[in-house]
Amino acid sequence: MRTDKWLYYFTCALITIGMIFSLSLSSYTVLLLGATPLHFFYRQCAVGIACIAVMWIVSRADPDKCLTPVCMSLFAIMGILMLAMGFLPKSLVADVNGAARWIRLPFFNLAPVEFFKVGFIYFLAWSFSRKLDHSKKSIGREIATLLPYVALFGFVVILVAIVQNDLGQVAVLGLTMIFMSLFAGTSFKLIGFSFMGILGLAYVFIVTSAHRVDRVRSWWGGVQDFVLSFMSPETAAGLRIEDASAPYQVGHSLNAINNGEFFGQGLGLGSFKLGYLSEVHTDFVLAGIAEEWGFIGILLIVVLFYAMLFRIFQTASKSPSNVNFLFCLGIGFMFFFSFIINSYGITSISPVKGIAVPFLSYGGSHLLAASFAVGLVLMASKRAKF
C-alpha cells in the first residue's frame, strides 16, 4: 500500500510558504531584537526541512504496529510534561507574553500542548470506537456514556486553560471532540447540549479573568457600531460600551489586509510589518500575506489548505478501521478550527485567541507537531482503500 502523495505535497507547499514569509515578514522584528537579518528565516528553514523529513519518515512506518503505541505515548508523556511544568525551575520554562507554555531545550523551545493535542485526538478516536455507535439510544444513556469524556475534558481544561493559561487550545480541542463524537454516533440533540455547555464554560473562564474581559471588551469596541446598526435604538443603547476602544493589533491587521487589495504590494514590500503589527510572522501571518500577496495570495493559501484537508478527510472516509477514521477526522478538524479561529480573530469577526496558523506561522513546536500529525495520517493512508 502506498501513502497519499498529494497530502504530502500540499503540506510541503504550505510549509515552504511559511518559510518564505518568515523572511519577508520579520524584517522589522530582527532590527528590534538586534538579530541578524536571516535569523528567523534560518530557524524556520531548519525546522521546516526537518518537518518535511519527519512526515516522510513517520509515513513509512507500519500503521498496524506503530500508530497506537506512538499516539498513546504522546498522550501520556506530553500530559505528564504539562503537569510537571508548574514544578520545573524557571530556567527550564520559557515565559512568552505572560504564558509559560514552553520547555527550554538546546536550540529549541518545546510546547508540550501541541503534541498533547495529537495524542488526545487519537485517544478519543480509540475510545469512541469502543464506546459509541450509531444505534438509537435514550438521551439519558448517551449522557451516561459520555460522562467519562466530560470528566476527561474537564481535566484537559484545568491542564491547558488554567495551568498554561491557553483558552484558545481548549476551544480547538473542545470543538474537535464534539465533532468527533458526532461522527462516532452521538445524537444531534446531545451535541446541542454540549455546545451550550462549552459556551457556559467559556463564559466562566472569561468573566473570571481580567485580561480576557479586557480582550472581549476591546473586540466589542471595534465591531459594536456595525453590529448595533442592525438593532433598535433601545437595544443598541443597552449593549453599547462607551469606553471600549478597538484593538490596536486587529485594527492594523484589517488595514494591512485592505492595503493588499487584489494583487498585493509585492513580496517583501508590505509596510504594516514595520512596527505596526508586532511579530506579524507569528499569529498575524495571514494579514502579512494578504498585504504582500493580496487576495490572490490568500486564495492560494485557502486552496492549498482546503486541498490538504480534503485529502485528510478522504483518507478518513476510506479507512477500514473505525479508529483510523475518527483519528484522521479529528486531525482534520483540529487544523480546520485552528485556521478558522485565527482568521476570524485577525479580521475582528471574533476576539483574537493567539492560535497559530498551521504550517504558516513562525514557530518550531506547532510546526513540528502539525507535521508529525500529517505523518501519522499518511501512515494511516496506507490502509485506506482509495
Side-chain angles (χ1 to χ4, degrees):
M1 296 285 185
R2 293 197 298 181
T3 56
D4 184 355
K5 64 180 181 180
W6 286 108
L7 172 57
Y8 182 75
Y9 294 154
F10 291 142
T11 308
C12 288
L14 287 170
I15 292 173
T16 302
I17 292 172
M19 293 181 198
I20 293 170
F21 280 96
S22 69
L23 173 63
S24 175
L25 299 179
S26 64
S27 56
Y28 178 80
T29 307
V30 293
L31 293 174
L32 188 66
L33 299 177
T36 60
L38 300 179
H39 172 78
F40 293 107
F41 178 66
Y42 283 154
R43 291 172 69 91
Q44 194 72 352
C45 277
V47 175
I49 292 168
C51 287
I52 290 171
V54 163
M55 279 195 298
W56 184 83
I57 292 168
V58 172
S59 72
R60 308 299 295 173
D62 184 346
D64 299 327
K65 296 179 180 178
C66 299
L67 195 57
T68 299
V70 168
C71 292
M72 289 299 194
S73 297
L74 276 181
F75 177 59
I77 294 171
M78 294 302 164
I80 292 170
L81 275 178
M82 289 165 66
L83 279 172
M85 286 177 69
F87 305 95
L88 293 176
K90 297 287 187 182
S91 59
L92 292 179
V93 178
D95 189 310
V96 180
N97 296 326
R101 304 168 189 163
W102 294 267
I103 297 175
R104 286 194 177 96
L105 299 174
F107 310 108
F108 187 74
N109 286 340
L110 174 69
V113 67
E114 299 291 351
F115 295 89
F116 175 81
K117 290 188 299 183
V118 179
F120 180 69
I121 288 170
Y122 187 85
F123 174 81
L124 290 177
W126 174 82
S127 188
F128 282 167
S129 67
R130 286 158 172 76
K131 300 292 184 181
L132 303 180
D133 55 51
H134 292 274
S135 61
K136 191 173 181 61
K137 304 184 188 72
S138 67
I139 191 70
R141 189 176 174 187
E142 278 195 287
I143 292 174
T145 302
L146 288 174
L147 273 178
Y149 299 105
V150 174
L152 174 62
F153 187 69
F155 172 74
V156 171
V157 169
I158 295 171
L159 195 62
V160 180
I162 298 178
V163 176
Q164 299 207 325
N165 193 28
D166 195 351
L167 189 58
Q169 299 288 8
V170 170
V172 171
L173 284 177
L175 290 168
T176 299
M177 180 176 172
I178 287 175
F179 277 84
M180 287 178 67
S181 68
L182 175 63
F183 281 90
T186 303
S187 66
F188 280 100
K189 184 183 293 185
L190 192 55
I191 292 298
F193 290 145
S194 300
F195 269 118
M196 294 300 293
I198 284 184
L199 288 175
L201 193 64
Y203 175 78
V204 170
F205 274 101
I206 290 171
V207 299
T208 55
S209 172
H211 86 272
R212 289 183 182 130
V213 171
D214 290 341
R215 182 176 291 182
V216 172
R217 285 173 58 87
S218 179
W219 164 73
W220 182 245
V223 302
Q224 63 179 351
D225 289 340
F226 174 76
V227 175
L228 297 180
S229 66
F230 296 97
M231 301 181 182
S232 65
E234 295 79 11
T235 303
L239 294 175
R240 183 174 298 279
I241 301 177
E242 298 296 344
D243 60 342
S245 58
Y248 174 87
Q249 283 282 84
V250 174
H252 284 304
S253 172
L254 291 171
N255 288 334
I257 294 169
N258 182 65
N259 195 42
E261 297 182 340
F262 197 81
F263 293 106
Q265 298 297 311
L267 184 63
L269 300 179
S271 57
F272 280 86
K273 65 187 179 184
L274 303 177
Y276 298 101
L277 271 173
S278 60
E279 299 186 354
V280 62
H281 57 296
T282 57
D283 295 344
F284 284 83
V285 65
L286 289 177
I289 293 173
E291 184 182 17
E292 298 197 351
W293 277 6
F295 171 80
I296 294 297
I298 291 297
L299 180 62
L300 171 65
I301 296 296
V302 170
V303 168
L304 281 174
F305 197 84
Y306 284 98
M308 178 196 70
L309 288 181
F310 174 77
R311 299 304 299 188
I312 292 175
F313 290 139
Q314 189 173 50
T315 296
S317 67
K318 303 293 184 181
S319 294
S321 164
N322 200 33
V323 178
N324 290 359
F325 163 70
L326 291 173
F327 173 65
C328 293
L329 272 181
I331 295 299
F333 284 134
M334 179 184 74
F335 290 149
F336 173 76
F337 289 125
S338 296
F339 188 91
I340 290 296
I341 289 173
N342 180 281
S343 57
Y344 279 16
I346 68 168
T347 53
S348 200
I349 296 175
S350 67
V352 175
K353 288 309 306 161
I355 296 290
V357 184
F359 308 105
L360 296 177
S361 293
Y362 174 84
S365 279
H366 82 84
L367 179 55
L368 186 57
S371 301
F372 194 85
V374 171
L376 293 170
V377 173
L378 289 169
M379 186 197 304
S381 73
K382 292 196 286 189
R383 296 292 181 266
K385 297 179 179 179
F386 289 102

